[in-house]
Amino acid sequence: MNLKNRIAEPRVLLAAGVYDALSALIAEQAGFEALYLSGASIAYTRLALGDVGLTTETEVEDVLSRVAERVRAPLIADADTGFGNAVNVQRTVRRFERAGAAMIQLEDQAFPKRCGHLDGKAVVPVDEMCGKLRAALDARHDAGTLILARTDALAVEGLDAALERAERYLACGVDALFIEALRSSAQMDAACAQFAARVPLLANMVEGGKTPVQSAAELGARGFRIVIFPGGAARAAAFALRDYYASLAAHGSTRPFASRMLDFDGLNALIGTPTLLAESKRYG
């Protein structure tokens, strides 16, 4: 699927949040047209730490390349702040593009950045962010690699300032906009009224976060073109693992949990081990 053409369509695109090759494969098998590689979820699962700017460019790029190797669905990759200044942004864009990103998300937070739904954020001057976005656009090898500009200014400067920043970022030539942590339906409608007719807008749904959680259909009706649930998979996996380990500790066996997990053959079927073995035999 060509992501640029797809987000130009009026129907909403629901991109499943993933954090590694296995979660991406399962999401693709569930039928999602595109996937969102969540920087927060990489921090949760790779570091077992919060989304507070601790992951590095190479760590995220490594996950991205492994995911892109395993799935065909277009990947929206969270590049945080670009991991530095405008020159760092250019390096990040080139490396993420090579690694397989179809769209690269860049945000205007100051370092150290943090999850968009945590308090205490700060943002860089708007002119600095515009420079980073122009650098990102110039760094692309292929114009089909999309740049998504995210602003976190609402929590710092208010809605009007966030919308003004989004206007400035759109004027730089970005392919899509993401106004993070809109607090109400009224704020969502204000963002859509200003931008939905001109550029694809992304809505971020975080369970327990600042933005009221709505369905993709509801958000599409408001005017959003892309909807992500970026951390849901990591939260669901953590919930399941907590129950699994508690059961194993209590019973000394996985038998009581057997109906809630894949067995050996089931997991190998899911990840395609029989096909891999057949290929090995064909070349063997």
Side-chain angles (χ1 to χ4, degrees):
M1 181 189 76
N2 182 291
L3 186 60
K4 186 173 185 176
N5 292 340
R6 176 63 180 83
I7 63 172
E9 297 179 15
R11 60 191 178 100
V12 70
L13 172 67
L14 175 58
V18 301
Y19 54 83
D20 65 4
L22 180 61
S23 61
L25 179 65
I26 295 170
E28 184 177 61
Q29 290 176 352
F32 286 96
E33 297 178 82
L35 306 175
Y36 179 87
L37 183 60
S38 163
S41 292
I42 291 173
Y44 301 153
T45 58
R46 187 161 179 149
L47 307 181
L49 291 170
D51 181 19
V52 292
L54 296 174
T55 52
T56 65
E57 187 280 331
T58 52
E59 287 173 325
V60 179
E61 181 194 341
D62 179 66
V63 177
L64 170 61
S65 66
R66 293 174 191 275
V67 171
E69 184 180 19
R70 196 65 185 90
V71 300
R72 295 183 177 180
L75 299 174
I76 304 171
D78 180 359
D80 289 344
T81 63
F83 304 98
N85 63 18
V87 175
N88 296 103
V89 165
Q90 290 203 309
R91 183 170 185 262
T92 296
V93 167
R94 293 185 185 114
R95 292 174 69 96
F96 274 36
E97 184 179 42
R98 258 195 326 269
M103 175 183 277
I104 300 167
Q105 175 191 307
L106 295 163
E107 66 194 46
D108 59 7
Q109 282 197 56
F111 190 82
K113 63 93 47 182
R114 59 183 62 197
C115 172
H117 292 254
L118 289 174
D119 294 328
K121 296 185 292 182
V123 291
V124 300
V126 66
D127 288 339
E128 179 180 339
M129 183 60 181
C130 287
K132 292 170 77 169
L133 292 174
R134 291 194 300 270
L137 292 163
D138 288 346
R140 297 180 298 182
H141 177 73
D142 184 346
T145 302
L146 309 180
I147 301 298
L148 167 63
R150 164 176 151 177
T151 179
D152 285 73
L154 190 152
V156 182
E157 302 173 340
L159 178 62
D160 289 345
L163 297 178
E164 177 57 30
R165 278 178 176 259
E167 283 285 3
R168 292 283 305 275
Y169 302 164
L170 180 59
C172 292
V174 299
D175 302 286
L177 290 175
F178 175 3
I179 301 168
E180 174 64 301
L182 294 162
R183 306 297 179 94
S184 65
S185 294
Q187 289 188 348
M188 292 181 190
D189 289 341
C192 288
Q194 186 162 336
F195 294 107
R198 295 186 288 149
V199 64
L201 275 181
L202 182 145
N204 179 23
M205 297 290 100
V206 176
E207 301 81 3
K210 306 287 188 184
T211 306
V213 174
Q214 300 176 14
S215 71
E218 291 170 319
L219 293 162
R222 289 189 181 280
F224 290 99
R225 207 91 53 84
I226 308 167
V227 175
I228 59 172
F229 287 76
R235 280 185 275 279
F239 188 91
L241 286 171
R242 187 176 60 181
D243 285 353
Y244 165 78
Y245 286 121
S247 176
L248 179 60
H251 301 287
S253 170
T254 57
R255 278 179 294 185
F257 211 83
S259 64
R260 299 166 61 186
M261 60 191 293
L262 295 173
D263 66 7
F264 181 80
D265 290 335
L267 179 59
N268 278 296
L270 181 125
I271 61 177
T273 302
T275 300
L276 195 64
L277 292 174
E279 288 182 357
S280 177
K281 186 175 182 179
R282 181 159 64 97
Y283 293 116

